[in-house]
Amino acid sequence: MPLPPLVSPGADLTVDEVRRYSRHLIIPDVGKTGQRRLKNARVLVVGAGGLGSPALLYLAAAGVGTLGVVDFDVVDESNLQRQIIHGQSDVGRSKAQSALESIREVNPLVEVVLHEERLDSDNAMRIFEPYDLIVDGTDNFATRYLVNDACVLLGKPYVWGSIYRFDGQASVFWAEYGPCYRCLYPEPPPPGMVPSCAEGGVLGVLCASIGSVQVNEAIKVITGIGEPLVGRLMIYDALEMSYRTVKVRKDPECPVCGKKPTVTELIDYEEFCGAVSQDAQLAADGSTITAAELKDMLDRGDDIFLIDVREPNEYEIVSIPGATLIPKGEILSGAALEKLPQDKRIVLHCKSGQRSAECLAVVQNAGFADAVHVGGGVLAWISQVDPSLPSY
Ligand code: ZN
């Protein structure tokens, strides 16, 4: 169903603005009034990364009057494959600053507000408050639940997108007119079950496909044109090249937007989502070594069996000398357990220490009580032991 425009029209357009936005103005559905709504709109983009890059550039080009950017990270070389708002000369610089300069170049009429801080339960309400609509470009569950709950509590529409390898999803969560993110996903996935883009990879151009859908929906909601993705989940498959939408219903029992909400203020979302499972946390307590300690063990010739639990293509990119590749799935399923030597101490590692902690719980339960894992994984090995190796 069509919804009323979110934003009222701002001041009349200047001669410069008429020239700049003429291709919008001649679309009857947008027209001068629609463009004035965009001019008056305040949109916050959470994350100037994969989705945030195309979203910010197109929102700026479209003439959204005020753009907020939340990001505390710095540009890394591995970002440039998809985060097109940043360039080679921005490596090592603040993402928010880099985004600001790109936006200025695309459209100097846009007012940009930078929030160079990590979004959390203490600052989210304050940061969101002045904006009409929130576009989420983050890739972790804790932030999504945080953004959702803050948007429901403040009564703001939440334009959500998600990407992984060749698959994308998008929706508009707006409790006033439809379901929220929690109605669709009431519980976060068990820790370690859903790989992130850093673990599983993402096709760079997928960010543009989904980021542009998010901007499309933001423009529709602001101007009140078309049928926004409220109550619908869009699913995109880049390999099949197919878009389909499925209906999402509001859950009357939803703890945030339901009839009797139990979440009436922001909670601790890191705890709610859990970085690793409780089993993994228990196993890792007291059984975690540093990369430097692993180096000492290898140099001393300790009788250890070093297992890399990442995927074969990650092993191909960079590996710790002497490590045997046994992907996580083979350990969690139990298939690889009989291959493990009984007379050596098992040392597990992955990319950053989360997957190896999950494996550690299984390996210890299988009787390898003195097994340990490497905190920080191969990334810690690169930074602490051998910085000449490629990072990813
Ligand atoms: Zn809900």
Side-chain angles (χ1 to χ4, degrees), residues 147-362:
V147 173
N148 177 72
D149 292 2
C151 284
V152 174
L153 294 173
L154 290 165
K156 295 182 194 291
Y158 167 27
V159 182
W160 168 80
S162 156
I163 45 174
Y164 181 71
R165 293 189 177 163
F166 299 97
D167 298 321
Q169 298 184 348
S171 190
V172 177
F173 299 112
W174 195 358
E176 202 179 331
Y177 298 103
C180 80
Y181 180 73
R182 284 202 199 223
C183 296
L184 176 62
Y185 297 114
E187 298 280 337
M193 287 304 288
V194 179
S196 66
C197 288
E199 271 179 37
V202 60
L203 188 72
V205 71
L206 182 68
C207 301
S209 310
I210 300 302
S212 67
V213 169
Q214 291 180 279
V215 173
N216 189 68
E217 294 309 300
I219 290 174
K220 282 159 60 184
V221 168
I222 290 165
T223 56
I225 60 177
E227 298 267 340
L229 274 175
V230 174
R232 288 185 297 150
L233 172 68
M234 193 217 69
I235 299 164
Y236 172 62
D237 182 332
L239 288 180
E240 295 252 340
M241 192 41 75
S242 64
Y243 285 92
R244 64 196 176 90
T245 58
V246 294
K247 275 213 168 83
V248 186
R249 287 197 172 76
K250 196 176 182 80
D251 175 5
E253 307 294 315
C254 174
V256 206
C257 79
K259 290 202 176 83
K260 287 183 196 134
T262 52
V263 177
T264 52
E265 57 181 27
L266 299 180
I267 60 171
D268 183 338
Y269 294 89
E270 294 292 340
E271 194 190 301
F272 179 62
C273 295
V276 292
S277 72
Q278 218 168 7
D279 284 353
Q281 192 60 54
L282 280 174
D285 282 347
S287 300
T288 302
I289 61 168
T290 65
E293 283 168 339
L294 172 63
K295 169 84 165 110
D296 290 342
M297 288 167 123
L298 292 168
D299 287 351
R300 281 197 304 265
D302 284 7
D303 210 11
I304 63 167
F305 187 64
L306 179 61
I307 303 171
D308 185 339
V309 304
R310 297 174 301 154
E311 299 302 311
N313 44 353
E314 297 180 85
Y315 187 80
E316 221 171 77
I317 297 169
V318 61
S319 63
I320 299 176
T324 302
L325 177 72
I326 306 180
K328 181 181 88 171
E330 291 177 36
I331 292 179
L332 297 189
S333 71
L337 291 175
E338 60 188 25
K339 280 193 252 171
L340 305 185
Q342 298 287 341
D343 55 344
K344 289 179 196 282
R345 188 174 193 192
I346 306 290
V347 180
L348 301 155
H349 87 82
C350 62
K351 183 182 180 183
S352 63
Q354 289 186 14
R355 280 176 280 174
S356 57
E358 299 291 337
C359 292
L360 181 65
V362 173

